[in-house]
Structures are given as structure tokens and as C-alpha cells.
Amino acid sequence: MRALLATSIGVTCATALTLPLAAPAPAAPALSPVAQAPAAAPAEPAGSTQSMPLRPLADAAPRATGKPTESMTPSAARGLLRRDTHRFSLVGVVWDDADAELHGTVQVRTRATGTARWSGWQSLETHNTDHAADAGSPERDSGRVRGSTAPLWVGDSDGIEVRVRSENAGPRSGAPDTSPLPAGLQVELVDPGEDPVEPRAEGTPAPSTSSAVTAGTSSAGTATPATAAQPGALPESAGLTMAAAESSAVNADLAPLGATEITALSKAESEEQAVVGAGAKPFVGPRPGIVTRKGWGADESLRERAFAYTSTVKAAFVHHSATGNNYTCAQAPSVLRGIYRYHVKSSGWRDFGYNFAVDKCGKIYEGRAGGVSKAVLGAHTLGFNSNSMGIAVLGTYSSKNPPAAAVTAIAKLTAWKLGLFGRNPKGKVTLVSGGSGKYKKGAKAKLNVISGHRDGFATECPGIRLYKKLGTARTSSAKLQGR
């Protein structure tokens, strides 16, 4: 976190826009004034969040028979009885104190929109503090961060029922070993909005084919992105807001301004774009196709305007989103918009927590804004966000095997991104902990370059089934790099 950098890119329609790619380095980029955006309708999908406080429940215990059950103390059980709501597709529970843990269970039932059909009880992952910004960082100390469960994707719904029970809680429980529930509990119902409309092709600048490289200092064996300037003007037909233009501009050496996808490259093309130390062989895997934030419909007005960077990328931490597996690949952009809104509006984070996401069909998505080839500081692995990147596979993989396509996507993404920073996917790396449940602050941890979240924190993430596939991902990633 000490290497935190911030930048804001100004974009104007009247003059040419110079967009150099910032190679990973601790030096802060210059700040540019924000210019007037062209008058164009924003292309970002609308969304919304409904927040409802949870009330004491007289009876939160499930009835095994039709007989009444005893009441529970207000401190041990809270929730909501069945009620109608506006439409939503993702649900989570938050509370006031980000440092307080919810020791207990959180369950929800939802009603499919326009029907009388209610789901069964579904559990939310309560131990979510390990997916967060590091202690003492500006993001963590912003005063906006709240405690939260992992969000759950439930599909198009218009009714909700919630029950939260404290650990060891029972009827009239007041025993000393009953953990009190955190204060300020409320359920968050997130509508991700509609999928983005594809922009018109007219007026979209063509991607540059220049492979020019700006000379700079690079350690032997370390490949860093090319820094050729890519001039261009903001096309009015792109319908970009200023924040959206800034988010797109940091990828301008990889794709046109306003692009919905960064196209795949061959290994040779990927290596040609990299800056390598004299006499060193680049081990950069072929760049995979990546859906941009514009492509999945991120509302750029939600996040903090500046981008935050760390010094380099030494390791990749693999996660599962714990949002459940009841989504289709076509719904993945909606799931991402829901998680993004939940991270920012409900949990109080500066942006989407993970650097990248992968869906069950193996499609790769840009996560936190700042540039896919840059060392963007995320909020994904408490204690180890600095000098790392986080990849979330959408779904829950504690008892279900991850699709082979998702594991392959992890290998492809890490072969390229880790290669830009000279990392061997089958290697080891030593990281200094910023403080976590597994390593105290300042402790040195020797980890795999491709690690699971549980390697840096005492957590089940990324689920044992996905964790067991990381060896395959490491081997495939190294092979793609040519090692």
C-alpha cells in the first residue's frame, strides 16, 4: 500500500489525446486536468440498490413440524419476513463495522419475478473480511467501508425473506458462548441494470499497429508493456461519459477508445509489444481476449475517479466469487455489474475488488479500473493486495468442480499478465504481509506465484475443488510462456 499511486486522465474531443501506457513502476504519473466531455448520452446501463434494515425475529429457527417454536433473543436473530420488493438479481447483507465478523448464518429466500414461486433457503458466505483492502490503506480507512457477506446471485426476483442467526444461538439463548450479531445489519438487493447496447462502428478509431517502444530501464528477464503513444480523439458516437473515457483510455495501447473487448494476440505479437532487458528472452504468453469494463457495462460513475497502482505484479491470487453457480454465461456481465455495485455502494470499496474475473465458459473480464496490463492495486486478498493481482472465477467451487474452460482461462491470463512482469507461473515468490488472519503484519510469506486465496489467508476460498486445479493452471501457464 505504501506504493499507492493515483492518476486521473483528462480526455477532450477538441484536441488529440496522447495515451502512453504506464509501465509498472513506483513513479506516479502526472495529473491531467479533466476536460469538458462531449454532449452524448451515456451508454452505461442503469442499476439500483434497495437497502432494508433487518429487524429482531421472534422466531428465526426453522420449523421441523407445524408446531410453534420458542422465541429467540433479539441479539441472536434478525431478519425480514416475506415481502414484495422492486426487481433485483443479487443479494447480500452488510453491517456497520468493517472489522466486526458475523459469527453465524445468513440465509435468504427469493421469489422469481412475476410468479408466486419462492426458492428454498440459500446460505450466504459470511466470512468475507478476507476479500478486502489492506488495513491502514486509504481505501480501508476511507470511513465508507462496511462489513459484508459475499453477495449471492439469485436471478430476476421481486420478493425477499431473510434470517440471520448468531453462532450457537438457540431458543431464548443468552448463554455466554452466543456471539452477538454485528450492529447495523441490513440486506442489500441489487439490480444490475440492462446489458449495454453495442456502440455503432462509425467514428470508432482503428487500433494502432505500431510496435514502437519508448526506451526505459528494465531489469534483465523482466518484460514490461510497450509505451508507444497512441493518439486519438474521443468520438462523439461512442457515447462515453468522461469517467468511461478515462477508464477506456488506460487501455488505449491495447484497444481503441470505447472498445468493448481487447482482442487476443499470438505469442509473437504479445512479445513484440513488450519491453525486455537487453539480451533477455521474454517469457510472455499470448494475450487472451479480454472483455473491457465498457463491454460488461460498468457504470463508471460509481467508482472513485482516480486509479490506484502498486509497484509490480509478483503473484496472482485465484478466488471464487462465492456468488453461486446459478447463472448462465450470457448472464455473466449482469453478475459482474451486480458484484461491482455491491462492492462500491454496499460495501464501501473504491471499485470492483478483483483485477480480473472469469466466467464458467472461460471468458475473461477486466475488473478494477486502471489498465489490464498495469499493476493495478486491488482489494481481493487481505494482507497481500500490494504487488499482486486477483482473479475471481464466478461461482462457488467448494463442492462443485470448476469447468475446464475456466481453469484454462486462468492459465492463459496468468501466462500473459505475469509474463509482462517477468514471473514464472511455476515459481515461488516472497511477499510481505500487510496483516491477515494467517500472517501477521510484516511477516514474509513464501508462496506460489499462482496461489489460491487460502494460501494468504485462513479461508476456504477459492473452494477446495478449484484450489486442487491450480497445479494444472500453473503447468499450462508456464507452457504458454514457453518455459
Side-chain angles (χ1 to χ4, degrees), residues 7-9 47 69 74 92 124 151 157 160 162 211 235 274 292 300 321 356 367 450:
T7 182
S8 179
I9 299 176
T69 58
L124 277 62
S157 305
I160 186 71
V162 185
S211 58
T292 66
E300 300 295 353
S321 63
F356 296 93
I450 298 179

Side-chain angles (χ1 to χ4, degrees), residues 60-446:
R63 287 183 171 92
T65 68
K67 299 179 181 179
T69 58
E70 296 184 56
S71 298
M72 302 185 70
T73 58
S75 63
R78 302 183 80 86
L80 280 179
L81 300 180
R82 288 189 183 186
R83 65 176 59 197
D84 297 337
T85 67
H86 296 296
R87 291 173 68 168
F88 66 95
S89 296
L90 182 136
V91 59
V93 169
V94 301
W95 52 92
D96 294 340
D97 186 358
D99 294 322
E101 291 206 37
L102 195 162
H103 296 285
T105 59
V106 177
Q107 295 180 306
V108 299
R109 296 182 68 190
T110 57
R111 185 182 62 203
T113 295
T115 74
R117 186 175 68 254
W118 285 83
S119 71
W121 287 106
Q122 301 182 79
S123 296
L124 277 62
E125 174 57 60
T126 59
H127 301 294
N128 197 46
T129 56
D130 48 320
H131 298 77
D134 290 345
S137 66
E139 182 171 2
R140 181 75 173 191
D141 294 343
S142 66
R144 300 187 300 272
V145 179
R146 292 190 282 186
S148 61
T149 67
L152 180 69
W153 178 261
V154 294
D156 196 2
S157 305
D158 63 5
I160 186 71
E161 184 177 4
V162 185
R163 65 184 184 199
V164 181
R165 298 186 66 204
S166 178
E167 193 173 54
N168 302 322
R172 292 295 181 189
S173 178
D177 61 347
T178 300
S179 302
L181 295 174
L185 285 168
Q186 61 186 47
V187 64
E188 302 284 289
L189 308 179
V190 179
D191 173 14
E194 299 299 323
D195 285 335
V197 177
E198 288 290 331
R200 292 184 301 152
E202 292 81 8
T204 302
S208 172
T209 58
S210 170
S211 58
V213 175
T214 299
T217 302
S218 178
S219 58
T222 300
T224 53
T227 55
Q230 305 293 329
L234 175 62
E236 293 188 19
S237 61
L240 298 177
T241 64
M242 181 58 67
E246 292 169 352
S247 179
S248 181
V250 286
N251 289 318
D253 59 324
L254 309 180
L257 194 66
T260 58
E261 184 171 4
I262 296 169
T263 58
L265 294 181
S266 68
K267 188 177 190 324
E269 290 170 327
S270 300
E271 290 176 348
E272 185 181 5
Q273 285 197 346
V275 178
V276 188
K281 178 182 178 181
F283 290 97
V284 180
R287 187 180 77 196
I290 302 171
V291 178
T292 66
R293 289 169 64 93
K294 170 75 172 175
W296 57 262
D299 180 350
E300 300 295 353
S301 69
L302 298 181
R303 64 171 173 82
E304 285 190 19
R305 195 67 175 268
F307 306 127
Y309 298 98
T310 186
S311 298
T312 186
V313 177
K314 294 182 177 181
F317 286 97
V318 177
H319 306 254
H320 66 175
S321 63
T323 46
N325 302 309
N326 295 324
Y327 74 95
T328 66
C329 294
Q331 291 175 321
S334 294
V335 176
L336 288 171
R337 292 196 303 276
I339 296 173
Y340 171 44
R341 178 173 281 273
Y342 183 76
H343 281 177
V344 177
K345 302 296 287 185
S346 302
S347 303
W349 299 0
R350 72 189 317 275
D351 193 355
F352 189 83
Y354 309 103
N355 298 101
F356 296 93
V358 174
D359 68 22
K360 63 174 67 175
C361 291
K363 185 168 285 189
I364 300 169
Y365 301 84
E366 178 183 15
R368 180 163 287 206
V372 297
S373 62
K374 298 178 175 63
V376 177
L377 181 66
H380 48 83
T381 307
L382 184 65
F384 295 102
N385 290 305
S386 292
N387 300 330
S388 73
M389 70 179 195
I391 305 168
V393 180
L394 299 182
T396 304
Y397 300 104
S398 301
S399 58
K400 181 179 178 62
N401 286 327
V407 178
T408 299
I410 293 171
K412 290 180 177 178
L413 176 59
T414 53
W416 173 69
K417 182 66 181 276
L418 291 174
L420 294 179
F421 294 86
R423 311 303 174 191
N424 183 347
K426 294 179 68 175
K428 300 281 187 178
V429 65
T430 299
L431 299 177
V432 179
S433 173
S436 72
K438 194 170 185 177
Y439 295 95
K440 66 180 181 180
K441 186 174 182 178
K444 294 182 178 180
K446 188 174 183 179

